Short mmCIF file of all heavy atoms in Angstrom, two decimals:
data_model
loop_
_atom_site.label_atom_id
_atom_site.label_comp_id
_atom_site.label_asym_id
_atom_site.label_seq_id
_atom_site.Cartn_x
_atom_site.Cartn_y
_atom_site.Cartn_z
N ARG A 246 140.25 45.71 150.30
CA ARG A 246 139.08 44.85 150.45
C ARG A 246 138.52 44.74 151.90
O ARG A 246 137.37 44.61 152.22
CB ARG A 246 139.32 43.51 149.87
CG ARG A 246 139.23 43.68 148.42
CD ARG A 246 139.71 42.38 147.69
NE ARG A 246 141.28 42.50 147.47
CZ ARG A 246 141.99 41.61 146.87
NH1 ARG A 246 141.42 40.57 146.44
NH2 ARG A 246 143.26 41.84 146.62
N MET A 249 135.29 46.49 153.81
CA MET A 249 134.33 47.07 152.87
C MET A 249 133.13 46.23 152.80
O MET A 249 133.13 45.07 153.16
CB MET A 249 134.98 47.43 151.46
CG MET A 249 135.38 46.06 150.65
SD MET A 249 135.86 46.52 149.00
CE MET A 249 134.39 46.79 148.09
N PRO A 250 132.03 46.90 152.31
CA PRO A 250 130.75 46.09 152.24
C PRO A 250 130.82 44.91 151.24
O PRO A 250 131.65 44.93 150.35
CB PRO A 250 129.67 47.14 151.84
CG PRO A 250 130.42 48.28 151.48
CD PRO A 250 131.88 48.31 151.85
N ILE A 251 130.00 43.95 151.32
CA ILE A 251 129.96 42.75 150.49
C ILE A 251 128.93 42.81 149.49
O ILE A 251 128.89 42.03 148.42
CB ILE A 251 130.01 41.42 151.21
CG1 ILE A 251 128.78 41.20 151.99
CG2 ILE A 251 131.27 41.27 152.14
CD1 ILE A 251 128.55 39.75 152.40
N GLN A 252 127.91 43.72 149.65
CA GLN A 252 126.85 43.93 148.75
C GLN A 252 126.40 45.41 148.76
O GLN A 252 126.58 46.10 149.82
CB GLN A 252 125.63 43.01 149.06
CG GLN A 252 125.93 41.51 148.75
CD GLN A 252 125.97 41.30 147.28
OE1 GLN A 252 125.65 42.03 146.39
NE2 GLN A 252 126.70 40.26 146.89
N PRO A 253 125.63 45.85 147.80
CA PRO A 253 125.21 47.23 147.78
C PRO A 253 124.27 47.58 148.92
O PRO A 253 124.20 48.75 149.41
CB PRO A 253 124.44 47.27 146.41
CG PRO A 253 125.04 46.36 145.44
CD PRO A 253 125.38 45.05 146.46
N TYR A 286 131.04 44.00 136.14
CA TYR A 286 132.39 44.43 136.11
C TYR A 286 133.26 43.28 136.40
O TYR A 286 132.98 42.05 136.79
CB TYR A 286 132.56 45.49 137.24
CG TYR A 286 131.91 45.09 138.51
CD1 TYR A 286 132.41 44.31 139.48
CD2 TYR A 286 130.71 45.69 138.84
CE1 TYR A 286 131.81 43.80 140.67
CE2 TYR A 286 129.98 45.29 140.01
CZ TYR A 286 130.51 44.42 140.87
OH TYR A 286 129.96 43.98 142.11
N HIS A 287 134.59 43.59 136.36
CA HIS A 287 135.70 42.49 136.57
C HIS A 287 136.43 42.78 137.99
O HIS A 287 136.90 43.83 138.20
CB HIS A 287 136.73 42.76 135.48
CG HIS A 287 137.72 41.59 135.45
ND1 HIS A 287 139.07 41.85 135.43
CD2 HIS A 287 137.68 40.29 135.44
CE1 HIS A 287 139.85 40.81 135.48
NE2 HIS A 287 138.90 39.87 135.49
N PHE A 288 136.38 41.76 138.80
CA PHE A 288 137.12 41.78 140.00
C PHE A 288 138.61 41.69 139.80
O PHE A 288 139.18 40.84 139.75
CB PHE A 288 136.66 40.50 140.96
CG PHE A 288 135.34 40.63 141.41
CD1 PHE A 288 134.38 39.59 141.02
CD2 PHE A 288 134.85 41.50 142.23
CE1 PHE A 288 133.18 39.55 141.59
CE2 PHE A 288 133.56 41.47 142.90
CZ PHE A 288 132.65 40.55 142.39
N HIS A 289 139.12 42.94 139.37
CA HIS A 289 140.50 42.93 138.85
C HIS A 289 141.58 42.61 139.75
O HIS A 289 142.67 42.32 139.29
CB HIS A 289 140.62 44.41 138.11
CG HIS A 289 140.81 45.48 139.17
ND1 HIS A 289 139.78 45.81 140.11
CD2 HIS A 289 141.86 46.34 139.37
CE1 HIS A 289 140.40 46.82 140.81
NE2 HIS A 289 141.38 47.11 140.41
N LYS A 290 141.49 42.62 140.92
CA LYS A 290 142.47 42.40 141.97
C LYS A 290 142.66 40.86 142.22
O LYS A 290 143.55 40.37 142.81
CB LYS A 290 142.27 43.03 143.24
CG LYS A 290 142.24 44.44 143.27
CD LYS A 290 143.85 44.95 143.08
CE LYS A 290 144.01 46.39 143.21
NZ LYS A 290 145.30 46.83 142.94
N LEU A 291 141.84 40.00 141.51
CA LEU A 291 141.94 38.62 141.71
C LEU A 291 142.47 37.98 140.36
O LEU A 291 142.21 38.24 139.34
CB LEU A 291 140.67 38.01 142.00
CG LEU A 291 140.17 38.19 143.50
CD1 LEU A 291 138.74 38.04 143.70
CD2 LEU A 291 140.93 37.33 144.43
N PHE A 301 131.89 34.88 152.46
CA PHE A 301 131.86 35.70 153.61
C PHE A 301 130.58 35.39 154.48
O PHE A 301 130.68 35.57 155.67
CB PHE A 301 131.65 37.21 153.06
CG PHE A 301 132.76 37.80 152.53
CD1 PHE A 301 132.68 38.31 151.16
CD2 PHE A 301 134.13 37.85 153.04
CE1 PHE A 301 133.82 38.99 150.55
CE2 PHE A 301 135.25 38.33 152.39
CZ PHE A 301 135.11 39.00 151.21
N ARG A 313 128.25 34.41 145.93
CA ARG A 313 128.61 35.71 145.28
C ARG A 313 130.02 36.12 145.49
O ARG A 313 130.40 37.13 145.32
CB ARG A 313 127.59 36.77 145.85
CG ARG A 313 126.18 36.50 145.65
CD ARG A 313 125.61 36.44 144.11
NE ARG A 313 125.38 37.78 143.83
CZ ARG A 313 124.24 38.40 143.84
NH1 ARG A 313 123.12 37.73 144.22
NH2 ARG A 313 124.02 39.56 143.40
N ALA A 314 130.81 35.10 145.88
CA ALA A 314 132.29 35.27 146.24
C ALA A 314 133.04 35.78 144.88
O ALA A 314 132.70 35.31 143.80
CB ALA A 314 132.84 34.00 146.75
N PRO A 315 133.92 36.71 145.09
CA PRO A 315 134.72 37.16 143.97
C PRO A 315 135.74 36.29 143.28
O PRO A 315 136.04 36.41 142.22
CB PRO A 315 135.38 38.46 144.45
CG PRO A 315 135.52 38.31 145.93
CD PRO A 315 134.18 37.40 146.36
N GLY A 322 131.51 40.26 138.47
CA GLY A 322 130.59 40.67 139.54
C GLY A 322 129.46 41.63 139.01
O GLY A 322 129.70 42.14 137.90
N PHE A 323 128.34 41.74 139.73
CA PHE A 323 127.36 42.72 139.37
C PHE A 323 126.81 43.35 140.57
O PHE A 323 126.60 42.77 141.50
CB PHE A 323 126.31 42.18 138.46
CG PHE A 323 125.26 41.26 139.04
CD1 PHE A 323 124.14 41.95 139.40
CD2 PHE A 323 125.49 40.04 139.49
CE1 PHE A 323 123.16 41.30 140.13
CE2 PHE A 323 124.55 39.26 140.17
CZ PHE A 323 123.27 39.89 140.47
N SER A 324 126.42 44.51 140.47
CA SER A 324 125.74 45.39 141.53
C SER A 324 124.58 46.24 140.89
O SER A 324 124.79 46.72 139.76
CB SER A 324 126.64 46.34 142.12
OG SER A 324 127.79 45.49 142.65
N ASP A 342 129.56 48.81 145.91
CA ASP A 342 130.21 47.77 146.69
C ASP A 342 131.51 47.29 146.08
O ASP A 342 131.76 46.10 146.32
CB ASP A 342 129.36 46.67 147.08
CG ASP A 342 128.80 45.80 145.94
OD1 ASP A 342 128.77 46.43 144.78
OD2 ASP A 342 128.51 44.70 146.10
N VAL A 343 132.14 48.03 145.27
CA VAL A 343 133.47 47.47 144.71
C VAL A 343 134.80 48.30 145.03
O VAL A 343 134.48 49.55 145.36
CB VAL A 343 133.31 47.32 143.11
CG1 VAL A 343 132.21 46.39 142.73
CG2 VAL A 343 133.21 48.64 142.41
N LEU A 344 135.85 47.82 144.78
CA LEU A 344 137.12 48.45 144.97
C LEU A 344 137.23 49.61 143.99
O LEU A 344 136.70 49.65 142.86
CB LEU A 344 138.21 47.65 144.78
CG LEU A 344 138.71 46.67 145.90
CD1 LEU A 344 139.80 45.85 145.31
CD2 LEU A 344 139.09 47.36 147.06
N THR A 347 137.74 49.59 139.70
CA THR A 347 137.30 48.32 139.18
C THR A 347 136.88 48.56 137.66
O THR A 347 136.04 49.49 137.37
CB THR A 347 136.05 47.75 140.04
OG1 THR A 347 136.62 47.39 141.30
CG2 THR A 347 135.46 46.57 139.47
N ALA A 382 133.60 42.67 154.46
CA ALA A 382 134.69 41.72 153.99
C ALA A 382 135.85 41.59 154.89
O ALA A 382 136.22 42.67 155.53
CB ALA A 382 135.16 42.24 152.60
C1 LIG B 18 131.14 39.37 147.69
S1 LIG B 18 131.58 40.37 146.26
C2 LIG B 18 130.00 40.60 145.71
C3 LIG B 18 129.86 41.76 144.75
C4 LIG B 18 128.66 41.82 143.75
N1 LIG B 18 127.71 42.58 144.41
C5 LIG B 18 128.08 40.52 143.31
O1 LIG B 18 127.22 40.00 143.94
O2 LIG B 18 128.69 40.05 142.40
C6 LIG B 18 132.17 41.87 146.89
C7 LIG B 18 133.45 41.72 147.55
O3 LIG B 18 134.40 41.58 146.60
C8 LIG B 18 135.63 42.19 146.83
N2 LIG B 18 135.94 43.12 145.72
C9 LIG B 18 135.27 44.24 145.32
N3 LIG B 18 135.74 44.70 144.25
C10 LIG B 18 136.96 43.93 143.85
C11 LIG B 18 137.79 44.04 142.88
N4 LIG B 18 137.78 44.98 141.90
N5 LIG B 18 138.78 42.94 142.86
C12 LIG B 18 138.80 42.07 143.78
N6 LIG B 18 137.97 41.95 144.70
C13 LIG B 18 136.99 42.94 144.88
C14 LIG B 18 135.49 42.88 148.11
O4 LIG B 18 135.94 42.10 149.22
C15 LIG B 18 133.89 43.10 148.20
O5 LIG B 18 133.56 43.11 149.68
#
Side-chain angles (χ1 to χ4, degrees):
R246 282 168 273 187
M249 66 175 283
I251 65 163
Q252 286 298 337
Y286 48 79
H287 186 234
F288 291 116
H289 69 303
K290 290 290 184 189
L291 286 161
F301 291 126
R313 302 288 279 265
F323 80 96
S324 301
D342 62 334
V343 300
L344 278 178
T347 294

